[in-house]
Amino acid sequence: MSRKAIICVDDESIILDSLREQLEKHFGDEYLYEIAESAEEALEIIDELEEDDIEIAIIVSDWLMPGMKGDKLLLQVDLKYPRVVKVLLTGQADQES
């Protein structure tokens, strides 16, 4: 069985560390955990995982980040990987987003 990955995306490292810690505490070594500090970095990680034949189980992304916002990232991912679960985690999104 191939390994599955969870990707967390946020421009604040303290948030990424906390998310990763909580996921590892809950799921243990069931998943590979990847973190990205920007949408662009997340897209690079997704490409690398695909090259290594690692399935992405879920992407958890902040909305408000420099450059590409999280909603745009998740829309891009959805076009290529519609079966990946996508979660937008934010305290700052507006109704339009």
Side-chain angles (χ1 to χ4, degrees), residues 49-63:
L49 292 172
E50 182 180 321
E51 286 176 14
D52 292 339
D53 201 31
I54 297 172
E55 181 181 345
I56 301 164
I58 187 169
I59 299 175
V60 179
S61 178
D62 184 26
W63 173 68

Side-chain angles (χ1 to χ4, degrees), residues 15-88:
I15 301 295
L16 289 172
D17 293 341
S18 178
L19 278 171
R20 184 179 197 153
E21 178 183 319
Q22 291 302 309
L23 290 167
E24 287 178 337
K25 186 176 181 180
H26 184 76
F27 294 112
D29 62 358
E30 186 175 342
Y31 294 95
L32 174 66
Y33 304 97
E34 294 286 344
I35 58 173
E37 293 186 1
S38 68
E40 293 79 6
E41 184 180 356
L43 292 171
E44 290 175 15
I45 289 170
I46 290 166
D47 288 342
E48 290 171 8
L49 292 172
E50 182 180 321
E51 286 176 14
D52 292 339
D53 201 31
I54 297 172
E55 181 181 345
I56 301 164
I58 187 169
I59 299 175
V60 179
S61 178
D62 184 26
W63 173 68
L64 186 58
M65 298 182 289
M68 184 188 304
K69 290 191 173 37
D71 58 339
K72 303 297 183 210
L73 166 65
L74 297 180
L75 286 171
Q76 267 194 5
V77 171
D78 191 57
L79 290 173
K80 194 169 182 181
Y81 306 100
R83 301 186 92 183
V84 171
V85 175
K86 293 159 277 299
V87 176
L88 188 65

